[in-house]
Amino acid sequence: MTSPAVRRLSEWDAERLRGLASEYGTPLYLVDLDRVRENAARLQSAFEFEDLSYAVKANTTRSVLETLRDAGVGAECASAGEVKRALDAGFDGADVRYTAVNPPDRDLDFVVDEADADLVVTVGATDTLDRLADRGYDGRLCIRVNPGVGAGHHEKVATGADPKFGVPYDRAPDLAREAVGRGFELVGLHAHAGSGISGDDLAAHRELVARMGDLARDVIADTTPLDFVNVGGGLGVPYREDEAPLDLRAVAATTREAFGDADATLGLEPGRYFVADAGVLLTRVNTVKPTPETTVVGVDAGMTTLIRPALYDSYHEIRSLAPDGDDREAVTATVAGPVCETADVFGTGRSLPAPERDDLLAVGNAGAYGYEMASQYNSRPRPAVVALEGENDSVAVRRERLDDITELERW
Ligand code: LLP
């Protein structure tokens, strides 16, 4: 029996959320580690013969990394910092992949130093291969391919057909031959279509997997056996309360079928799916301003806390946690943060029980790319993250103080 495919914002216990906001202050990120475990188990059950990794960029807080390490998935990392965090959190080096996109020298220096941890470096350009050779890298290597098909919830997160990512599909067999000829231990191929794949995008995912299956058969026949072919992450989650979740088993069946009979383990590396609905952001109303157009509801979180609405026009559910909310009349509201930028809005045209100052609001699906993309813009300290496990709660990341803002300045 697996857990429900989605945890809606409406299902979080309002009283508990109010209690946590009073105890830890706002804005506050919560991450429910039990739900992270449930999401991992559901993925593992649907993709049972596949090699699953977590794209740690979705949420690198140590509590989440340790939870997913214990769940037995690998770690896909996009930077030296992420590799360091994964290793520090106890991931076995053999389960860590570093996906180098135009990697800075410092990243390559770090991963080559860590190479005896047996991690895999994924390269998407011949230059990266040369730079690894210059450093005497003799660890495991994977080639990232541009599959020519992209997908995702926004053009800014569709990677598959963007020339920035991976070597052109037709060049990949030559690069594989070259890598093996130069003595690299080529163990895998990789591609990633984009992020937030659902509905129609699944056709693009299927196409990507089929192309990678074909490529793998060619490389295996002409050049070298492969341990794995990783077809990236991107599994979408429902951000709207009435949106249906992905049918994971159907996606798994399609993926396997599209891959065909290439003699390599099929790998996936979702990020968002593991953590999105395990997180909420709590924020308190500080200003209620009726205007002719709408009621502006000013809150203490903003684009510096959760940038997704400002950056991608992403929709996140917003729920009032006012204890007497059911007795209030509904108003149409614009929920806006404290940053002096027009983009600093969490939602417009939202129906909320007539908001009052000090009301608590919850923003849903904030577990993925929420805290992770938070910044100190406007010299605003980043919020705290509190981890939940059963009835327990504890600070996973402390709230920044005003002093933290200038801590790195030397002049
Ligand atoms: N693998 C690679 C190589 C990736 O670049 C990514 C995400 C993933 C896996 C995981 O994708 P996921 O399963 O999380 O969709 N900040 C954006 C998402 C950017 C994703 C970048 N790459 C957002 O908030 O929607």
Side-chain angles (χ1 to χ4, degrees):
M1 191 52 195
T2 54
S3 54
V6 56
R7 181 174 190 190
R8 307 280 183 190
L9 180 60
S10 55
E11 291 162 24
W12 290 73
D13 180 59
E15 206 176 313
R16 184 173 192 198
L17 297 184
R18 285 193 295 265
L20 290 163
S22 306
E23 184 174 350
Y24 296 105
T26 58
L28 180 69
Y29 273 103
L30 300 175
V31 59
D32 183 341
L33 301 179
D34 296 329
R35 181 62 187 165
V36 174
R37 272 185 208 103
E38 287 180 2
N39 289 338
R42 195 167 345 92
L43 281 165
Q44 284 167 320
S45 147
F47 293 94
E48 68 184 318
F49 302 111
E50 272 70 79
D51 174 32
L52 262 186
S53 290
Y54 167 53
V56 307
K57 63 168 73 71
N59 189 324
T60 50
T61 49
R62 174 109 176 197
S63 60
V64 168
L65 294 183
E66 288 188 1
T67 301
L68 288 172
R69 175 208 65 196
D70 289 348
V73 302
E76 187 270 329
C77 303
S79 68
E82 289 187 358
V83 170
K84 179 171 184 335
R85 290 176 105 160
L87 293 173
D88 287 352
F91 278 93
D92 190 346
D95 297 330
V96 173
R97 311 237 160 98
Y98 168 55
T99 313
V101 180
N102 304 333
D105 282 340
R106 276 198 197 90
D107 277 35
L108 290 185
D109 292 343
F110 179 81
V111 295
V112 168
D113 275 354
E114 295 292 326
D116 53 359
D118 205 24
L119 42 81
V120 175
V121 178
T122 299
V123 299
T126 313
D127 268 352
T128 313
L129 208 60
D130 293 343
R131 293 164 71 207
L132 285 171
D134 290 348
R135 288 167 169 79
Y137 178 75
D138 60 0
R140 295 183 297 157
L141 188 84
C142 169
I143 292 178
R144 179 170 186 169
V145 178
N146 184 313
V149 274
H153 67 80
H154 189 277
E155 63 184 26
K156 288 187 182 160
V157 298
T159 41
D162 185 328
K164 173 175 168 183
F165 301 100
V167 295
Y169 187 82
D170 296 341
R171 273 274 298 133
D174 284 347
L175 188 61
R177 246 187 312 274
E178 183 188 330
V180 171
R182 291 169 69 175
F184 284 101
E185 186 190 351
L186 181 65
V187 292
L189 300 174
H190 173 278
H192 172 69
S195 194
I197 297 173
S198 57
D200 295 346
D201 296 335
L202 284 169
H205 168 75
R206 196 190 172 290
E207 179 65 23
L208 174 145
V209 177
R211 288 189 192 181
M212 292 306 285
D214 290 343
L215 182 63
R217 275 184 291 279
D218 285 355
V219 169
I220 292 167
D222 293 348
T223 307
T224 182
L226 294 171
D227 291 345
F228 68 86
V229 176
N230 192 300
V231 293
L235 300 176
V237 300
Y239 277 90
R240 291 174 191 265
E241 202 76 2
D242 57 359
E243 207 179 319
L246 278 183
D247 178 348
L248 267 198
R249 287 190 185 279
V251 176
T254 307
T255 306
R256 220 169 285 139
E257 185 263 323
F259 188 56
D261 61 359
D263 185 16
T265 304
L266 181 57
L268 282 106
E269 50 185 32
R272 185 187 318 269
Y273 195 94
F274 281 100
V275 287
D277 70 355
V280 293
L281 168 64
L282 299 180
T283 183
R284 211 170 277 286
V285 174
N286 53 40
T287 306
V288 178
K289 186 170 62 174
T291 72
E293 300 89 5
T294 183
T295 299
V296 177
V297 180
V299 295
D300 61 4
M303 62 188 285
T304 57
T305 331
L306 175 69
I307 201 177
R308 303 192 69 259
L311 192 56
Y312 316 116
D313 289 325
S314 298
Y315 184 95
H316 286 257
E317 290 290 347
I318 301 174
R319 172 183 166 201
S320 169
L321 298 171
D324 61 348
D326 287 348
D327 306 331
R328 299 192 202 164
E329 212 174 298
V331 300
T332 301
T334 292
V335 180
V339 179
C340 197
E341 287 227 16
T342 317
D344 183 35
V345 166
F346 284 138
T348 54
R350 300 302 181 94
S351 174
L352 288 174
E356 293 176 10
R357 211 175 334 134
D358 289 335
D359 277 355
L360 194 61
L361 302 183
V363 182
N365 268 311
Y369 306 108
Y371 183 76
E372 202 59 35
M373 297 178 83
S375 75
Q376 293 179 335
Y377 178 47
N378 266 207
S379 293
R380 217 162 266 293
R382 283 178 295 185
V385 181
V386 163
L388 310 178
E389 264 185 310
E391 297 304 303
N392 299 325
D393 48 82
S394 58
V395 176
V397 186
R398 80 153 164 82
R399 180 178 305 285
E400 282 179 344
R401 299 181 283 259
L402 277 183
D403 284 351
D404 290 319
I405 298 280
T406 48
E407 206 202 7
L408 303 179
E409 290 197 340
R410 290 296 171 266
W411 200 72

